[in-house]
Amino acid sequence: MTELLANYWAGRWQRGSGKGTSLIDPVLGNELVKIDATGLDLAEGFHFAREQGGKALRALNYRERGALLSAMVNLLQANRGDYYDISTANSGTVKNDTAIDVDGGIFTLSQYAKFGEKLGDRKFLLDGELARLGKDPLFQAQHILTPTRGVALFINAFNFPSWGFWEKAAPALLSGVPVIIKPASATAWLTQRMVKDVVDAGILPAGALSIICGSSEGLLDQLQAFDVVSFTGSAATASLIRSHPAMTEQSVRVNIEADSINSALFLPDETADSAAFDLLVKEVVREMSVKSGQKCTAIRRIFVPTTLYAAAAEAISAKLANITVGNPRHESVRMGAVVNKSQLHSIQAGLAQLQSQADTLFDGAKQPLVDADTQTSCCIAPTLLGVGDADKAQIVHELEVFGPVATLIAYRDVDHALQLIRRGQGSLVSSLYGSDPQALAHAAIELGDSHGRVHVISPDVGAVHTGHGNVMPQSIHGGPGRAGGGEELGGLRALNFYHRRSAIQASTTVLEQLQ
Ligand code: NAP
């Protein structure tokens, strides 16, 4: 019989009492495990986390909490093999793609462990300098940041069951805030196993980490004023969360990471035989194929000058033709499956919509699959679309196809390109390719207000840059507008979300006690 995964709720392992939802291997089509949260006492779990977990975490200082993160890093490293196996089975990913999720998550955790060491023995943080409030220097203000006394509820997307969880949990736990994670159902197994390993090892105090796998029903109703919610997923669900009374009436703080039509821009005055052009082509192909394009940061739109449109189409297509798609267990396969049939159908439907306004330059539908069946598996090869007359294809700026699909778009001049990029209404990341530092810096500033990150690639950083789609814990992740308006990571900036800022106005001698 298929195993029903347990939830770690209110300090004990509990199984749901319902029929459960099956998690499926997206390549072989078989059932792997089941999840269910029916019948769990939601109020009890939130109360336990808030009271027991919160109190215990706040009793520690940043250094001690950093040490807990370090212990988790060691444990997760030791169990990496299991996580890879689960990822292959449940997400259909090849090893390199699993590494982004599993190792990326552990790496992020390790970075926040180091930040904890740096923050030292404090139990709250100072924000800025002492500020004089009047002529007399005796009465001043000092802003401080103290950990919020609520829980952090995370509702995550299916595409990063490890990284997507740890990149949120690391700053929350370091801040002293207990975590409740509700992973996306389709890939909840990996998150559940990682949480299980950490809980069973007894690293964290009781109530610091809880997991609930299954329906999200009723979770938001449990939120109270000092809780926070961090959500990653579709714009439609994000809007439901934003309009819930917990946010509108109790001011529960919410961070949203939603969809995004990211872009890559090849600057004018470059040629098809330049190093910058090779870097663009390489990165586009990588972004289309890594995790089968199921990455919130993936390049969806590629902007090149009209004169280089044909050369770019040819160079990208030639590289896409070399990508073998199929069963990730097969040595020759470079790109595995998308996560399930529902996503596969959504990609196919989205692709058809884009094709109503774009040409097909490289057709993934014509590519053979390796060791995978078109009926059973959720494998789909990359497709490159093209738009020669950019002003006539609005849909490519509006519809995010969450799979291995990107559109090449010809622009007239750099102002035209920047204006087209802005049609994405705010994105997570845009990357720039060129060799003129002044032109690159100018374009980066122009894109700054509508992008959480601008990734600038010139030949001098060709071998050392971190990648368009890779989210580094040192830089912020998030974006304005349709990207959700959220902000995560960015080193210590991530801790702000889990702290409350207040101005302490007092005599200088009192304020000295805070230093
Ligand atoms: P989704 O349907 O919105 O699901 C996301 C999460 O919300 C899942 O855990 C889901 O649970 C839960 N959920 C669904 N309905 C809910 C409700 N009414 N109330 C509370 N929670 C609810 O998103 P998706 O289609 O799985 O994810 C893909 C999308 O995520 C893409 O658009 C992608 O761009 C975006 N994404 C963004 C980022 C980023 O960092 N910006 C990262 C990754 C993905 P169930 O799974 O149980 O339904």
Side-chain angles (χ1 to χ4, degrees):
M1 218 172 69
T2 312
E3 185 193 354
L4 175 64
L5 298 182
N7 306 284
Y8 191 64
W9 198 243
R12 54 192 193 277
W13 289 103
Q14 306 185 44
R15 287 197 167 77
S17 57
K19 279 201 308 212
T21 304
S22 301
L23 273 52
I24 306 291
D25 183 319
V27 179
L28 306 177
N30 56 303
E31 185 184 59
L32 298 165
V33 289
K34 285 185 173 196
I35 54 165
D36 185 48
T38 312
L40 261 62
D41 185 337
L42 297 184
E44 184 197 15
F46 274 80
H47 180 78
F48 186 82
R50 229 177 253 127
E51 295 305 316
Q52 306 252 355
K55 231 173 245 160
L57 284 171
R58 288 195 306 275
L60 305 174
N61 60 39
Y62 294 96
R63 187 198 306 281
E64 289 166 331
R65 292 194 292 261
L68 298 181
L69 301 192
S70 244
M72 289 195 278
V73 167
N74 294 338
L75 176 84
L76 296 171
Q77 286 281 14
N79 294 334
R80 263 174 89 241
D82 291 350
Y83 308 145
Y84 270 62
D85 290 346
I86 292 174
S87 196
T88 306
N90 194 190
S91 293
T93 42
V94 293
K95 281 203 174 76
N96 283 347
D97 291 353
T98 299
I100 299 172
D101 188 29
V102 170
D103 299 326
I106 300 173
F107 173 68
T108 303
L109 198 55
S110 75
Q111 289 298 301
Y112 280 87
K114 285 188 192 138
F115 293 146
E117 179 67 30
K118 204 163 105 186
L119 291 174
D121 299 335
R122 305 193 63 93
K123 289 196 174 167
F124 65 93
L125 301 172
L126 298 178
D127 176 37
E129 308 282 313
L130 284 173
R132 266 167 72 162
L133 297 172
K135 277 192 185 153
D136 192 321
L138 186 62
F139 191 65
Q140 302 199 75
Q142 170 69 60
H143 289 82
I144 64 166
L145 295 162
T146 46
T148 192
R149 296 193 183 196
V151 296
L153 171 64
F154 300 154
I155 300 178
N156 271 9
F158 64 81
N159 58 339
F160 282 111
S162 165
W163 174 83
F165 166 51
W166 291 115
E167 63 106 10
K168 292 183 199 292
L173 293 170
L174 180 59
S175 297
V177 179
V179 163
I180 293 177
I181 167 72
K182 185 246 160 313
S185 293
T187 55
W189 190 12
L190 178 56
T191 319
Q192 194 269 359
R193 173 62 67 84
M194 290 178 130
V195 169
K196 182 165 168 33
D197 288 348
V198 169
V199 168
D200 290 353
I203 294 172
L204 291 171
L209 186 54
S210 311
I211 182 164
I212 184 158
C213 302
S215 165
S216 55
E217 208 181 325
L219 286 180
L220 300 175
D221 299 335
Q222 296 301 325
L223 293 169
Q224 297 179 2
F226 299 110
D227 297 336
V228 299
V229 182
S230 188
F231 169 79
T232 300
S234 65
T237 311
S239 127
L240 288 177
I241 291 177
R242 270 208 187 90
S243 55
H244 188 276
M247 323 308 147
T248 57
E249 290 167 23
Q250 297 190 74
S251 308
V252 166
R253 191 181 274 175
V254 61
N255 190 77
I256 304 279
E257 300 291 342
D259 52 26
S260 174
I261 322 275
N262 311 296
S263 53
L265 167 61
F266 188 66
L267 288 184
D269 304 325
E270 298 285 342
T271 57
D273 58 4
S274 64
F277 188 81
D278 288 346
L279 289 166
L280 168 85
V281 170
K282 196 171 153 201
E283 198 65 7
V284 165
V285 172
R286 182 157 68 168
E287 285 296 308
M288 288 178 71
S289 53
V290 165
K291 283 192 71 72
S292 305
Q294 300 169 111
K295 231 154 84 277
C296 53
T297 50
I299 296 172
R300 307 290 179 202
R301 298 173 296 162
I302 310 136
F303 294 92
V304 293
T306 311
T307 49
L308 293 180
Y309 179 76
E314 195 183 323
I316 297 168
S317 299
K319 281 202 185 295
L320 290 177
N322 292 331
I323 291 180
T324 39
V325 182
N327 189 339
R329 297 161 185 89
H330 200 283
E331 275 302 308
S332 71
V333 167
R334 267 184 64 193
M335 192 177 116
V338 296
V339 75
N340 57 22
K341 286 283 178 197
S342 143
Q343 282 298 315
L344 180 67
H345 296 148
S346 159
I347 292 165
Q348 287 163 335
L351 186 51
Q353 275 183 275
L354 294 183
Q355 281 165 327
S356 69
Q357 293 185 13
D359 301 323
T360 303
L361 303 177
F362 181 85
D363 192 353
K366 294 191 178 143
Q367 299 304 302
L369 299 179
V370 177
D371 194 19
D373 182 79
T374 43
Q375 294 304 308
T376 318
S377 83
C378 304
C379 295
I380 177 171
T383 290
L384 179 70
L385 302 177
V387 171
D389 187 349
D391 296 317
K392 291 201 175 140
Q394 179 57 21
I395 196 169
V396 301
H397 307 289
E398 289 175 353
L399 181 68
E400 179 201 48
V401 175
F402 206 58
V405 178
T407 307
L408 183 68
I409 302 168
Y411 70 81
R412 292 188 295 273
D413 53 40
V414 80
D415 285 346
H416 185 217
L418 294 171
Q419 177 230 319
L420 290 168
I421 289 175
R422 293 184 78 88
R423 287 200 197 172
Q425 298 292 315
S427 303
L428 294 170
V429 52
S430 179
S431 53
L432 306 176
Y433 302 79
S435 53
D436 175 352
Q438 207 178 357
L440 288 165
H442 172 75
I445 295 165
E446 285 294 311
L447 294 174
D449 73 301
S450 54
H451 291 80
R453 185 159 60 85
V454 181
H455 183 72
V456 185
I457 306 186
S458 45
D460 54 332
V461 295
V464 296
H465 73 85
T466 47
H468 165 106
N470 272 352
V471 176
M472 302 301 291
Q474 299 89 339
S475 310
I476 60 164
H477 172 59
R482 73 169 287 166
E487 191 176 298
E488 294 180 329
L489 298 172
L492 288 176
R493 290 174 189 86
L495 273 56
N496 287 338
F497 185 66
Y498 303 98
H499 286 74
R500 301 282 160 173
R501 180 181 286 113
S502 53
I504 310 295
Q505 300 177 324
S507 146
T508 307
T509 52
V510 173
L511 294 179
E512 275 165 4
Q513 300 300 309
L514 303 176
Q515 300 303 310

